[in-house]
Amino acid sequence: MTAPLLSLDGITAGYRTTPVIRDFRLSLAEGESLALLGANGAGKTTLMKVMVGLLRPWSGRVLLRGSDITEVAAEERPLLGVALAPEGRGIFGTLSIEENLLMGALAVRRKEGRRASRALVAEGLEQVYETFPVLGKRRDDKGCHLSGGQQQMLAIGRALMARPALLLLDEPCLGLAPKVAGELYEALGRLSTAERGVVVVEESSRRALGFADRACVVKLGRKVLDCPAAEAGDDEAIMSAYFGVE
Ligand code: ATP
């Protein structure tokens, strides 16, 4: 049996002496997309930090395709195929769209060497522009001239340039108007899921449920629900029990 793409094996984590995540278990198959949902302060971002290596868990293991990466530093994880598009975007305003995307390809260059990476980078740009056509049209525009939604697309595009096996999206719709958030998820739906697993963190979002294969709800640092996304979205009792129905 092949190992899951990602496993969180009994993770307990927190800050100083305060535990936030408690004995958390999660497994994500290759090509699967997961919506990680929960109220403000439930611990979603903390879990994300454990996945990318910014926070070392107090106990438990993070496994990528069966290999224990718990002790691997955050800056090394992109080389293993873990990429984060963070909340707040963090793009380079003075660089063009294409330059921002090329910055995301540094992990590919380090991993594949200069010659092999050239073709992969070109392929990556093509894929990003196919997924987010507006970025292709404006490839020479500076990052600071983009709208909030376009900046978010660029942050995701930059993460994709690392050719991740696991793409983590932290609240991609934060601060976006509903129409723009809809467009963003529509674009995400165009991504071929066969090539990568995706974890998207949202406070509460029907859009995330429409996009994901599976839903996992976090409450006070514990997993309280893990089911097919369609089931969670259809169940009004679940939706209103864990978060206000959107
Ligand atoms: P949000 O939707 O607000 O981002 P969240 O589900 O992502 O919420 P976390 O950001 O993981 O939740 O926070 C979980 C708990 O951990 C909260 O009680 C928060 O106050 C606490 N916390 C988060 N970051 C820190 C930190 N750096 N130091 C101490 N406590 C923290």
Side-chain angles (χ1 to χ4, degrees):
M1 209 175 77
T2 51
L5 174 62
L6 174 77
S7 310
L8 299 182
D9 181 14
I11 295 288
T12 295
Y15 303 96
R16 284 178 287 273
T17 53
T18 314
V20 171
I21 300 299
R22 297 172 177 83
D23 193 27
F24 204 95
R25 282 166 209 282
L26 182 72
S27 139
L28 186 77
E30 297 278 352
E32 193 177 28
S33 53
L34 176 84
L36 190 58
L37 307 172
N40 199 339
K44 307 176 300 291
T45 299
T46 303
L47 267 173
M48 197 69 113
K49 284 186 191 167
V50 169
M51 292 181 210
V52 296
L54 289 170
L55 185 69
R56 188 173 294 182
W58 296 354
S59 59
R61 296 183 309 159
V62 182
L63 303 169
L64 190 70
R65 292 178 170 147
S67 297
D68 189 341
I69 61 162
T70 319
E71 301 295 321
V72 176
E75 63 272 22
E76 294 297 327
R77 291 196 193 190
L79 292 174
L80 302 177
V82 180
L84 170 73
E87 177 191 341
R89 298 160 202 149
I91 61 162
F92 300 102
T94 55
L95 300 184
S96 71
I97 288 180
E98 189 142 314
E99 286 164 345
N100 266 280
L101 292 172
L102 293 173
M103 296 295 285
L106 291 177
V108 172
R109 186 163 283 202
R110 262 181 78 190
K111 202 162 109 188
E112 308 287 343
R114 187 176 282 237
R115 189 173 296 178
S117 69
R118 205 168 289 160
L120 294 175
V121 169
E123 197 183 295
L125 283 173
E126 198 178 315
Q127 191 185 45
V128 171
Y129 293 149
E130 249 169 48
T131 309
F132 304 112
V134 65
L135 297 184
K137 277 190 212 130
R138 302 190 58 183
R139 66 185 73 188
D140 297 322
D141 285 1
K142 286 201 171 133
C144 60
H145 294 149
L146 300 181
S147 69
Q150 290 162 355
Q151 286 186 21
Q152 185 60 70
M153 289 174 191
L154 181 53
I156 296 170
R158 196 176 55 188
L160 283 170
M161 289 297 291
R163 302 175 68 83
L166 175 63
L167 175 66
L168 306 170
L169 306 174
D170 195 6
E171 305 216 33
C173 293
L174 199 72
L176 299 185
K179 181 170 172 280
V180 181
E183 286 164 8
L184 182 69
Y185 268 106
E186 206 181 294
L188 286 174
R190 286 197 285 274
L191 279 177
S192 153
T193 52
E195 291 167 36
R196 69 190 71 77
V198 181
V199 177
V200 59
V201 162
E202 291 278 12
E203 207 166 287
S204 85
S205 172
R206 289 217 178 264
R207 284 190 197 89
L209 290 173
F211 161 76
D213 302 314
R214 248 171 72 214
C216 173
V217 179
V218 188
K219 191 174 184 182
L220 297 173
R222 290 187 193 277
K223 189 163 82 172
V224 290
L225 181 78
D226 190 339
C227 69
E231 275 176 30
D234 288 346
D235 193 323
E236 294 300 329
I238 289 176
M239 292 298 280
S240 55
Y242 297 121
F243 24 75
V245 180
E246 210 178 75

Short mmCIF file of all heavy atoms in Angstrom, two decimals, residues 71-98:
data_model
loop_
_atom_site.label_atom_id
_atom_site.label_comp_id
_atom_site.label_asym_id
_atom_site.label_seq_id
_atom_site.Cartn_x
_atom_site.Cartn_y
_atom_site.Cartn_z
N GLU A 71 11.33 17.07 11.80
CA GLU A 71 12.49 17.88 12.19
C GLU A 71 13.07 18.69 11.01
O GLU A 71 14.05 19.40 11.19
CB GLU A 71 13.60 16.97 12.74
CG GLU A 71 13.20 16.13 13.95
CD GLU A 71 12.89 17.00 15.17
OE1 GLU A 71 13.60 18.00 15.38
OE2 GLU A 71 11.93 16.68 15.89
N VAL A 72 12.47 18.56 9.84
CA VAL A 72 13.01 19.29 8.68
C VAL A 72 12.59 20.76 8.79
O VAL A 72 11.42 21.08 9.00
CB VAL A 72 12.48 18.68 7.35
CG1 VAL A 72 12.95 19.50 6.16
CG2 VAL A 72 12.93 17.23 7.22
N ALA A 73 13.57 21.66 8.63
CA ALA A 73 13.32 23.09 8.79
C ALA A 73 12.41 23.62 7.68
O ALA A 73 12.37 23.08 6.58
CB ALA A 73 14.65 23.85 8.77
N ALA A 74 11.71 24.72 8.00
CA ALA A 74 10.75 25.31 7.05
C ALA A 74 11.41 25.63 5.72
O ALA A 74 10.81 25.41 4.66
CB ALA A 74 10.14 26.57 7.66
N GLU A 75 12.64 26.15 5.76
CA GLU A 75 13.26 26.57 4.50
C GLU A 75 13.67 25.39 3.62
O GLU A 75 13.94 25.55 2.44
CB GLU A 75 14.46 27.50 4.76
CG GLU A 75 15.60 26.90 5.53
CD GLU A 75 15.45 27.04 7.05
OE1 GLU A 75 14.31 27.20 7.52
OE2 GLU A 75 16.48 26.95 7.75
N GLU A 76 13.72 24.20 4.21
CA GLU A 76 14.08 23.02 3.43
C GLU A 76 12.84 22.31 2.86
O GLU A 76 12.94 21.51 1.92
CB GLU A 76 14.85 22.01 4.30
CG GLU A 76 16.22 22.51 4.76
CD GLU A 76 17.17 22.76 3.60
OE1 GLU A 76 17.09 22.04 2.59
OE2 GLU A 76 17.98 23.70 3.70
N ARG A 77 11.67 22.59 3.43
CA ARG A 77 10.49 21.81 3.01
C ARG A 77 10.06 22.06 1.56
O ARG A 77 9.57 21.14 0.91
CB ARG A 77 9.33 22.02 4.00
CG ARG A 77 9.67 21.36 5.33
CD ARG A 77 8.49 21.16 6.23
NE ARG A 77 8.98 20.82 7.57
CZ ARG A 77 8.24 20.40 8.57
NH1 ARG A 77 6.94 20.26 8.40
NH2 ARG A 77 8.78 20.13 9.73
N PRO A 78 10.25 23.28 1.00
CA PRO A 78 9.90 23.44 -0.41
C PRO A 78 10.67 22.47 -1.31
O PRO A 78 10.15 22.01 -2.31
CB PRO A 78 10.30 24.89 -0.71
CG PRO A 78 10.18 25.58 0.61
CD PRO A 78 10.62 24.56 1.63
N LEU A 79 11.90 22.14 -0.91
CA LEU A 79 12.69 21.20 -1.71
C LEU A 79 12.09 19.81 -1.67
O LEU A 79 12.30 18.99 -2.56
CB LEU A 79 14.13 21.14 -1.20
CG LEU A 79 14.94 22.41 -1.42
CD1 LEU A 79 16.30 22.30 -0.74
CD2 LEU A 79 15.13 22.66 -2.90
N LEU A 80 11.33 19.53 -0.62
CA LEU A 80 10.67 18.23 -0.51
C LEU A 80 9.29 18.24 -1.15
O LEU A 80 8.61 17.23 -1.21
CB LEU A 80 10.55 17.83 0.97
CG LEU A 80 11.86 17.75 1.75
CD1 LEU A 80 11.59 17.41 3.21
CD2 LEU A 80 12.77 16.68 1.13
N GLY A 81 8.84 19.43 -1.54
CA GLY A 81 7.56 19.50 -2.24
C GLY A 81 6.42 20.12 -1.45
O GLY A 81 5.26 19.97 -1.80
N VAL A 82 6.76 20.85 -0.37
CA VAL A 82 5.71 21.50 0.42
C VAL A 82 5.75 23.00 0.15
O VAL A 82 6.79 23.63 0.35
CB VAL A 82 5.93 21.25 1.94
CG1 VAL A 82 4.83 21.92 2.75
CG2 VAL A 82 6.00 19.76 2.23
N ALA A 83 4.65 23.56 -0.33
CA ALA A 83 4.64 25.00 -0.63
C ALA A 83 3.44 25.66 0.03
O ALA A 83 2.33 25.13 0.02
CB ALA A 83 4.59 25.24 -2.13
N LEU A 84 3.67 26.84 0.58
CA LEU A 84 2.61 27.59 1.26
C LEU A 84 2.35 28.90 0.53
O LEU A 84 3.28 29.63 0.19
CB LEU A 84 3.08 27.90 2.70
CG LEU A 84 2.22 28.88 3.49
CD1 LEU A 84 0.90 28.24 3.92
CD2 LEU A 84 2.96 29.38 4.73
N ALA A 85 1.06 29.18 0.29
CA ALA A 85 0.67 30.52 -0.15
C ALA A 85 0.04 31.17 1.08
O ALA A 85 -1.07 30.84 1.46
CB ALA A 85 -0.33 30.45 -1.30
N PRO A 86 0.79 32.05 1.73
CA PRO A 86 0.35 32.51 3.05
C PRO A 86 -0.79 33.53 3.01
O PRO A 86 -0.99 34.21 1.99
CB PRO A 86 1.60 33.16 3.63
CG PRO A 86 2.41 33.56 2.46
CD PRO A 86 2.05 32.65 1.32
N GLU A 87 -1.48 33.60 4.12
CA GLU A 87 -2.50 34.63 4.34
C GLU A 87 -1.75 35.97 4.29
O GLU A 87 -0.64 36.09 4.77
CB GLU A 87 -3.05 34.37 5.75
CG GLU A 87 -4.08 35.33 6.25
CD GLU A 87 -4.32 35.10 7.75
OE1 GLU A 87 -3.99 34.03 8.27
OE2 GLU A 87 -4.84 36.03 8.37
N GLY A 88 -2.34 36.99 3.68
CA GLY A 88 -1.66 38.28 3.63
C GLY A 88 -0.78 38.43 2.40
O GLY A 88 -0.18 39.47 2.19
N ARG A 89 -0.72 37.37 1.59
CA ARG A 89 -0.13 37.40 0.24
C ARG A 89 1.38 37.53 0.17
O ARG A 89 2.05 36.68 -0.38
CB ARG A 89 -0.80 38.47 -0.62
CG ARG A 89 -2.26 38.11 -0.76
CD ARG A 89 -3.12 39.27 -1.15
NE ARG A 89 -4.49 38.98 -0.77
CZ ARG A 89 -5.38 39.86 -0.43
NH1 ARG A 89 -5.07 41.13 -0.40
NH2 ARG A 89 -6.58 39.50 -0.09
N GLY A 90 1.97 38.61 0.69
CA GLY A 90 3.43 38.72 0.72
C GLY A 90 4.11 38.66 -0.64
O GLY A 90 5.14 38.02 -0.79
N ILE A 91 3.53 39.32 -1.62
CA ILE A 91 4.21 39.35 -2.92
C ILE A 91 5.16 40.56 -2.96
O ILE A 91 5.09 41.43 -2.10
CB ILE A 91 3.20 39.42 -4.08
CG1 ILE A 91 2.38 40.71 -3.96
CG2 ILE A 91 2.30 38.21 -4.12
CD1 ILE A 91 1.70 41.09 -5.23
N PHE A 92 6.03 40.59 -3.98
CA PHE A 92 6.96 41.71 -4.09
C PHE A 92 6.32 42.78 -4.98
O PHE A 92 6.19 42.60 -6.18
CB PHE A 92 8.29 41.24 -4.69
CG PHE A 92 8.95 40.18 -3.86
CD1 PHE A 92 8.89 38.85 -4.23
CD2 PHE A 92 9.64 40.52 -2.70
CE1 PHE A 92 9.50 37.86 -3.47
CE2 PHE A 92 10.25 39.54 -1.92
CZ PHE A 92 10.17 38.22 -2.30
N GLY A 93 5.96 43.91 -4.36
CA GLY A 93 5.23 44.97 -5.07
C GLY A 93 6.04 45.63 -6.17
O GLY A 93 5.48 46.07 -7.17
N THR A 94 7.36 45.69 -6.00
CA THR A 94 8.17 46.40 -7.00
C THR A 94 8.59 45.50 -8.15
O THR A 94 9.13 45.96 -9.14
CB THR A 94 9.45 46.99 -6.35
OG1 THR A 94 10.13 45.91 -5.71
CG2 THR A 94 9.11 48.07 -5.34
N LEU A 95 8.36 44.20 -8.01
CA LEU A 95 8.70 43.28 -9.11
C LEU A 95 7.48 43.04 -9.99
O LEU A 95 6.34 43.17 -9.54
CB LEU A 95 9.17 41.93 -8.54
CG LEU A 95 10.42 41.95 -7.64
CD1 LEU A 95 10.79 40.52 -7.27
CD2 LEU A 95 11.58 42.64 -8.31
N SER A 96 7.74 42.67 -11.24
CA SER A 96 6.62 42.37 -12.15
C SER A 96 5.98 41.04 -11.74
O SER A 96 6.56 40.27 -10.95
CB SER A 96 7.12 42.27 -13.59
OG SER A 96 7.88 41.09 -13.74
N ILE A 97 4.83 40.77 -12.33
CA ILE A 97 4.16 39.50 -12.06
C ILE A 97 5.08 38.34 -12.40
O ILE A 97 5.27 37.42 -11.60
CB ILE A 97 2.86 39.42 -12.89
CG1 ILE A 97 1.83 40.39 -12.31
CG2 ILE A 97 2.32 37.99 -12.93
CD1 ILE A 97 0.51 40.39 -13.04
N GLU A 98 5.68 38.41 -13.59
CA GLU A 98 6.52 37.29 -14.01
C GLU A 98 7.75 37.14 -13.09
O GLU A 98 8.15 36.03 -12.74
CB GLU A 98 6.95 37.45 -15.47
CG GLU A 98 7.63 36.20 -15.97
CD GLU A 98 7.27 35.87 -17.41
OE1 GLU A 98 6.09 35.90 -17.77
OE2 GLU A 98 8.20 35.59 -18.17
#
